[in-house]
Amino acid sequence: MSAALQRDGGGTRAILAHNHSSGEVEPSEAALVLTRVLEEALALVDVQVLDHFVVGNNRAASMAERGLV
């Protein structure tokens, strides 16, 4: 994030990702809460979260596709 924040001009965007060791790719309640907290915190420094992927068992789920971001 520090490299993104050092860019001039603002309008920085981020794509988040994390893995579920269980292999389940459905976003957990904790993942949803974390996403909201990160969206709010990053908005304070003009960074927009475009998506948050949950990865497991060679699959990925997009929170943006589910309308969660």
Side-chain angles (χ1 to χ4, degrees):
M1 280 295 155
S2 65
L5 295 176
Q6 291 174 6
R7 285 184 40 194
D8 291 336
T12 303
R13 296 170 183 90
I15 296 174
L16 310 172
H18 76 278
N19 72 305
H20 279 177
S21 58
S22 68
E24 180 59 49
V25 296
E26 284 302 311
S28 64
E29 185 62 32
L32 296 172
V33 170
L34 177 62
T35 301
R36 294 286 172 247
V37 169
L38 289 171
E39 283 181 312
E40 292 173 9
L42 290 170
L44 295 173
V45 290
D46 197 28
V47 176
Q48 177 188 10
V49 174
L50 298 178
D51 206 342
H52 187 164
F53 290 96
V54 181
V55 180
N57 283 342
N58 295 316
R59 298 179 302 143
S62 162
M63 289 192 190
E65 286 181 359
R66 290 171 163 75
L68 302 171
V69 172

